[in-house]
Amino acid sequence: ELRRNARESIQIVIHDCEQGSETWFRIRMGMPTASEFATVMAAAKDGKERKTRNTYMRKLAGEIITGEPMESYRNADMDRGKVMEAEARNFYAFTSNEVMQRVGFVTNGDRRGCSPDSLIGTSGMLEIKTAAPHILIEKIEADKFPPEHVAQCQGNLMVAEREYIDIAIYWPKMPMFVKRAYRDESFIYKMSAEIDAFNAELHELVEKIRRYGA
């Protein structure tokens, strides 16, 4: 029932742009995105998690008020990560024999979005992470979906209305770790409510600051 109600109102839009480009930054301005859904869901009412949530909200508020993205830079580590992401995508595509589609950004019309590393066929998604060899070895030994990436990946599934997501953790010359997760409807329902609450707070904050400026 929860899934059916969500589908009735969803308006998925796939934005064809390069991730990290000026267009990409502008499309996602003022909008919570899947990479920060764990921040949005921070339950603590004080302490570090709450402070991180508040900082993220104020960055988005600043984008809405100024009409300018708060982050539009690249550095050497980001450029290297982009190269390794391409290597990982090619390796995954070769070993899985899946039909993959590169996309820039996905929204569903209700102030939330995601930047999947690829769409797979008609129902899947791919999320690529790079990790130093010792971290990758830990993931292989644990042999489970990394808990630190659950919110982002379930958020991707929620926004794009897809059925499953593969996380691929990569480092050159190391085995690639791939683990699949399917939609967790109860988690998605809770996350969606938290995002709605976050967006409501964000709207109130923006209006408060605009009134102060007036």
Side-chain angles (χ1 to χ4, degrees):
E1 180 68 20
L2 296 176
R3 181 80 180 277
R4 183 182 65 81
N5 291 340
R7 274 179 165 166
E8 287 176 355
S9 59
I10 202 164
Q11 298 177 9
I12 299 172
V13 178
I14 297 177
H15 302 269
D16 185 15
C17 61
E18 182 181 353
Q19 293 186 15
S21 66
E22 183 68 20
T23 299
W24 180 79
F25 277 110
R26 289 195 171 277
I27 289 172
R28 63 205 296 273
M29 278 196 315
M31 181 186 305
T33 62
S35 61
E36 294 290 346
F37 283 173
T39 299
V40 170
M41 296 177 71
K45 300 303 179 184
D46 52 29
K48 185 176 180 180
E49 285 188 344
R50 187 69 181 180
K51 182 178 180 181
T52 301
R53 182 181 185 273
N54 289 342
T55 299
Y56 182 51
M57 182 181 294
R58 278 147 185 78
K59 285 184 177 181
L60 296 183
E63 291 182 335
I64 294 170
I65 294 168
T66 66
E68 295 292 335
M70 295 294 102
E71 298 179 7
S72 58
Y73 65 90
R74 298 199 65 84
N75 58 35
D77 288 338
M78 293 169 69
D79 290 336
R80 184 167 188 244
K82 189 173 182 180
V83 171
M84 287 201 291
E85 179 186 309
E87 294 174 359
R89 182 183 292 103
N90 291 339
F91 186 76
Y92 175 92
F94 177 76
T95 56
S96 67
N97 199 32
E98 296 280 8
V99 177
M100 302 172 64
Q101 176 189 359
R102 295 281 302 278
V103 298
F105 194 66
V106 181
T107 56
N108 66 9
D110 54 1
R111 304 299 299 166
R112 61 189 71 182
C114 68
S115 300
D117 291 322
S118 282
L119 300 180
I120 303 173
T122 59
S123 60
M125 309 178 78
L126 176 65
E127 181 64 32
I128 298 170
K129 302 294 183 183
T130 58
H134 69 287
I135 301 296
L136 180 48
I137 290 171
E138 290 177 357
K139 302 304 181 187
I140 293 172
E141 289 180 316
D143 194 30
K144 63 181 181 180
F145 200 94
E148 65 271 25
H149 299 308
V150 167
Q152 178 182 6
C153 290
Q154 288 293 326
N156 285 343
L157 294 175
M158 175 187 66
V159 172
E161 191 66 13
R162 294 262 161 161
E163 299 297 329
Y164 73 87
I165 186 165
D166 282 350
I167 189 166
I169 304 180
Y170 174 80
W171 192 263
K173 300 181 181 180
M174 292 288 292
M176 176 183 282
F177 175 76
V178 178
K179 187 64 69 173
R180 179 166 295 186
Y182 293 89
R183 292 177 65 94
D184 181 338
E185 298 298 345
S186 60
F187 184 90
I188 287 174
Y189 179 78
K190 177 182 178 181
M191 178 168 54
S192 182
E194 293 286 350
I195 294 168
D196 287 343
F198 181 90
N199 277 327
E201 289 182 50
L202 175 60
H203 175 75
E204 291 178 2
L205 176 61
V206 168
E207 292 305 309
K208 176 182 177 181
I209 300 304
R210 282 174 169 164
R211 286 195 300 272
Y212 180 86

Short mmCIF file of all heavy atoms in Angstrom, two decimals, residues 77-106:
data_model
loop_
_atom_site.label_atom_id
_atom_site.label_comp_id
_atom_site.label_asym_id
_atom_site.label_seq_id
_atom_site.Cartn_x
_atom_site.Cartn_y
_atom_site.Cartn_z
N ASP A 77 42.04 14.91 -5.68
CA ASP A 77 41.43 13.68 -5.20
C ASP A 77 40.11 13.40 -5.92
O ASP A 77 39.80 12.25 -6.26
CB ASP A 77 41.20 13.76 -3.70
CG ASP A 77 42.49 13.68 -2.90
OD1 ASP A 77 43.48 13.15 -3.46
OD2 ASP A 77 42.51 14.13 -1.75
N MET A 78 39.33 14.45 -6.15
CA MET A 78 38.06 14.28 -6.85
C MET A 78 38.29 13.85 -8.30
O MET A 78 37.57 12.99 -8.83
CB MET A 78 37.26 15.58 -6.80
CG MET A 78 36.79 15.96 -5.40
SD MET A 78 36.12 17.63 -5.30
CE MET A 78 34.61 17.46 -6.24
N ASP A 79 39.31 14.43 -8.93
CA ASP A 79 39.61 14.05 -10.32
C ASP A 79 40.08 12.60 -10.39
O ASP A 79 39.70 11.87 -11.30
CB ASP A 79 40.69 14.99 -10.89
CG ASP A 79 40.16 16.39 -11.13
OD1 ASP A 79 38.93 16.54 -11.29
OD2 ASP A 79 40.98 17.34 -11.15
N ARG A 80 40.89 12.18 -9.43
CA ARG A 80 41.36 10.79 -9.41
C ARG A 80 40.19 9.85 -9.17
O ARG A 80 40.09 8.78 -9.78
CB ARG A 80 42.42 10.62 -8.32
CG ARG A 80 43.02 9.21 -8.30
CD ARG A 80 44.26 9.18 -7.44
NE ARG A 80 44.94 7.90 -7.57
CZ ARG A 80 45.10 7.04 -6.57
NH1 ARG A 80 44.60 7.30 -5.39
NH2 ARG A 80 45.74 5.89 -6.76
N GLY A 81 39.29 10.25 -8.28
CA GLY A 81 38.12 9.43 -8.02
C GLY A 81 37.24 9.27 -9.24
O GLY A 81 36.67 8.20 -9.47
N LYS A 82 37.16 10.32 -10.04
CA LYS A 82 36.36 10.25 -11.25
C LYS A 82 36.95 9.26 -12.25
O LYS A 82 36.23 8.50 -12.91
CB LYS A 82 36.26 11.64 -11.89
CG LYS A 82 35.28 11.74 -13.05
CD LYS A 82 35.11 13.17 -13.52
CE LYS A 82 34.10 13.25 -14.65
NZ LYS A 82 33.93 14.65 -15.12
N VAL A 83 38.29 9.25 -12.35
CA VAL A 83 38.96 8.30 -13.24
C VAL A 83 38.72 6.87 -12.76
O VAL A 83 38.39 5.98 -13.56
CB VAL A 83 40.47 8.60 -13.31
CG1 VAL A 83 41.21 7.49 -14.05
CG2 VAL A 83 40.71 9.94 -14.00
N MET A 84 38.86 6.64 -11.46
CA MET A 84 38.67 5.29 -10.93
C MET A 84 37.20 4.87 -11.04
O MET A 84 36.91 3.68 -11.23
CB MET A 84 39.15 5.21 -9.49
CG MET A 84 40.66 5.22 -9.36
SD MET A 84 41.25 4.53 -7.79
CE MET A 84 40.70 5.79 -6.66
N GLU A 85 36.28 5.82 -10.93
CA GLU A 85 34.87 5.49 -11.10
C GLU A 85 34.62 4.97 -12.50
O GLU A 85 33.87 3.99 -12.69
CB GLU A 85 34.00 6.72 -10.83
CG GLU A 85 32.51 6.47 -11.01
CD GLU A 85 31.68 7.72 -10.88
OE1 GLU A 85 31.85 8.43 -9.87
OE2 GLU A 85 30.86 8.00 -11.78
N ALA A 86 35.22 5.60 -13.49
CA ALA A 86 35.06 5.14 -14.88
C ALA A 86 35.64 3.73 -15.05
O ALA A 86 35.04 2.87 -15.72
CB ALA A 86 35.73 6.12 -15.83
N GLU A 87 36.81 3.48 -14.44
CA GLU A 87 37.40 2.15 -14.50
C GLU A 87 36.48 1.12 -13.85
O GLU A 87 36.27 0.02 -14.40
CB GLU A 87 38.75 2.15 -13.77
CG GLU A 87 39.83 3.00 -14.44
CD GLU A 87 41.09 3.07 -13.60
OE1 GLU A 87 41.11 2.47 -12.49
OE2 GLU A 87 42.05 3.73 -14.02
N ALA A 88 35.93 1.47 -12.70
CA ALA A 88 35.05 0.54 -11.98
C ALA A 88 33.78 0.27 -12.78
O ALA A 88 33.31 -0.88 -12.85
CB ALA A 88 34.69 1.13 -10.62
N ARG A 89 33.21 1.30 -13.39
CA ARG A 89 31.99 1.12 -14.20
C ARG A 89 32.25 0.19 -15.37
O ARG A 89 31.45 -0.70 -15.66
CB ARG A 89 31.48 2.47 -14.69
CG ARG A 89 30.17 2.37 -15.48
CD ARG A 89 29.73 3.71 -16.02
NE ARG A 89 29.33 4.61 -14.95
CZ ARG A 89 30.07 5.60 -14.48
NH1 ARG A 89 31.27 5.85 -15.01
NH2 ARG A 89 29.64 6.38 -13.51
N ASN A 90 33.37 0.39 -16.05
CA ASN A 90 33.71 -0.46 -17.19
C ASN A 90 33.92 -1.91 -16.75
O ASN A 90 33.48 -2.85 -17.44
CB ASN A 90 34.97 0.07 -17.88
CG ASN A 90 34.73 1.38 -18.59
OD1 ASN A 90 33.59 1.73 -18.93
ND2 ASN A 90 35.80 2.14 -18.83
N PHE A 91 34.59 -2.10 -15.62
CA PHE A 91 34.82 -3.45 -15.12
C PHE A 91 33.51 -4.12 -14.73
O PHE A 91 33.27 -5.30 -15.05
CB PHE A 91 35.77 -3.41 -13.93
CG PHE A 91 36.18 -4.76 -13.42
CD1 PHE A 91 37.11 -5.51 -14.11
CD2 PHE A 91 35.62 -5.28 -12.26
CE1 PHE A 91 37.49 -6.77 -13.65
CE2 PHE A 91 35.99 -6.53 -11.80
CZ PHE A 91 36.92 -7.27 -12.50
N TYR A 92 32.64 -3.37 -14.06
CA TYR A 92 31.33 -3.92 -13.67
C TYR A 92 30.52 -4.30 -14.90
O TYR A 92 29.93 -5.38 -14.96
CB TYR A 92 30.57 -2.91 -12.82
CG TYR A 92 29.16 -3.35 -12.48
CD1 TYR A 92 28.90 -4.05 -11.30
CD2 TYR A 92 28.10 -3.09 -13.34
CE1 TYR A 92 27.61 -4.46 -10.99
CE2 TYR A 92 26.81 -3.51 -13.03
CZ TYR A 92 26.58 -4.20 -11.86
OH TYR A 92 25.31 -4.62 -11.57
N ALA A 93 30.50 -3.42 -15.89
CA ALA A 93 29.74 -3.69 -17.11
C ALA A 93 30.27 -4.93 -17.82
O ALA A 93 29.48 -5.75 -18.33
CB ALA A 93 29.80 -2.48 -18.04
N PHE A 94 31.59 -5.09 -17.84
CA PHE A 94 32.19 -6.24 -18.53
C PHE A 94 31.86 -7.54 -17.81
O PHE A 94 31.52 -8.55 -18.45
CB PHE A 94 33.71 -6.05 -18.61
CG PHE A 94 34.44 -7.21 -19.22
CD1 PHE A 94 34.41 -7.42 -20.59
CD2 PHE A 94 35.13 -8.11 -18.42
CE1 PHE A 94 35.09 -8.50 -21.16
CE2 PHE A 94 35.80 -9.19 -18.97
CZ PHE A 94 35.77 -9.39 -20.35
N THR A 95 31.96 -7.53 -16.48
CA THR A 95 31.76 -8.78 -15.73
C THR A 95 30.29 -9.13 -15.54
O THR A 95 29.95 -10.30 -15.40
CB THR A 95 32.43 -8.67 -14.35
OG1 THR A 95 31.92 -7.52 -13.65
CG2 THR A 95 33.94 -8.56 -14.50
N SER A 96 29.41 -8.13 -15.54
CA SER A 96 27.99 -8.39 -15.29
C SER A 96 27.19 -8.56 -16.57
O SER A 96 26.09 -9.12 -16.55
CB SER A 96 27.37 -7.25 -14.47
OG SER A 96 27.35 -6.05 -15.24
N ASN A 97 27.71 -8.01 -17.67
CA ASN A 97 27.01 -8.05 -18.96
C ASN A 97 25.65 -7.37 -18.88
O ASN A 97 24.68 -7.78 -19.53
CB ASN A 97 26.84 -9.50 -19.45
CG ASN A 97 26.56 -9.57 -20.94
OD1 ASN A 97 27.02 -8.73 -21.71
ND2 ASN A 97 25.79 -10.57 -21.35
N GLU A 98 25.56 -6.32 -18.08
CA GLU A 98 24.31 -5.57 -17.92
C GLU A 98 24.25 -4.41 -18.91
O GLU A 98 25.28 -3.90 -19.35
CB GLU A 98 24.21 -5.01 -16.50
CG GLU A 98 24.12 -6.06 -15.40
CD GLU A 98 22.72 -6.62 -15.24
OE1 GLU A 98 21.86 -6.32 -16.09
OE2 GLU A 98 22.50 -7.37 -14.27
N VAL A 99 23.02 -3.99 -19.24
CA VAL A 99 22.80 -2.80 -20.05
C VAL A 99 22.75 -1.61 -19.10
O VAL A 99 21.89 -1.52 -18.23
CB VAL A 99 21.49 -2.89 -20.85
CG1 VAL A 99 21.26 -1.61 -21.63
CG2 VAL A 99 21.53 -4.09 -21.78
N MET A 100 23.71 -0.69 -19.27
CA MET A 100 23.85 0.41 -18.33
C MET A 100 23.63 1.75 -19.01
O MET A 100 23.96 1.93 -20.17
CB MET A 100 25.23 0.36 -17.67
CG MET A 100 25.49 -0.96 -16.93
SD MET A 100 27.18 -1.12 -16.36
CE MET A 100 27.26 0.22 -15.19
N GLN A 101 23.08 2.71 -18.23
CA GLN A 101 22.80 4.05 -18.74
C GLN A 101 23.39 5.08 -17.80
O GLN A 101 23.04 5.11 -16.61
CB GLN A 101 21.28 4.26 -18.87
CG GLN A 101 20.90 5.67 -19.31
CD GLN A 101 19.41 5.93 -19.23
OE1 GLN A 101 18.63 5.05 -18.86
NE2 GLN A 101 18.99 7.14 -19.56
N ARG A 102 24.27 5.93 -18.32
CA ARG A 102 24.81 7.04 -17.54
C ARG A 102 23.77 8.15 -17.47
O ARG A 102 23.16 8.51 -18.47
CB ARG A 102 26.08 7.57 -18.19
CG ARG A 102 27.24 6.60 -18.23
CD ARG A 102 27.96 6.53 -16.90
NE ARG A 102 28.46 7.82 -16.47
CZ ARG A 102 29.60 8.36 -16.90
NH1 ARG A 102 30.37 7.71 -17.76
NH2 ARG A 102 30.00 9.54 -16.46
N VAL A 103 23.58 8.71 -16.29
CA VAL A 103 22.67 9.84 -16.11
C VAL A 103 23.35 10.88 -15.23
O VAL A 103 24.30 10.58 -14.50
CB VAL A 103 21.33 9.41 -15.48
CG1 VAL A 103 20.60 8.42 -16.39
CG2 VAL A 103 21.53 8.81 -14.09
N GLY A 104 22.86 12.10 -15.30
CA GLY A 104 23.43 13.16 -14.49
C GLY A 104 22.79 13.26 -13.12
O GLY A 104 23.44 13.14 -12.08
N PHE A 105 21.47 13.47 -13.12
CA PHE A 105 20.76 13.69 -11.86
C PHE A 105 19.33 13.24 -12.04
O PHE A 105 18.77 13.34 -13.15
CB PHE A 105 20.81 15.17 -11.47
CG PHE A 105 20.42 15.47 -10.06
CD1 PHE A 105 21.19 15.02 -9.01
CD2 PHE A 105 19.28 16.21 -9.78
CE1 PHE A 105 20.83 15.29 -7.69
CE2 PHE A 105 18.92 16.50 -8.47
CZ PHE A 105 19.70 16.04 -7.42
N VAL A 106 18.74 12.72 -10.97
CA VAL A 106 17.36 12.24 -11.01
C VAL A 106 16.57 12.94 -9.91
O VAL A 106 17.01 13.02 -8.76
CB VAL A 106 17.28 10.72 -10.81
CG1 VAL A 106 15.82 10.24 -10.88
CG2 VAL A 106 18.13 9.98 -11.84
#
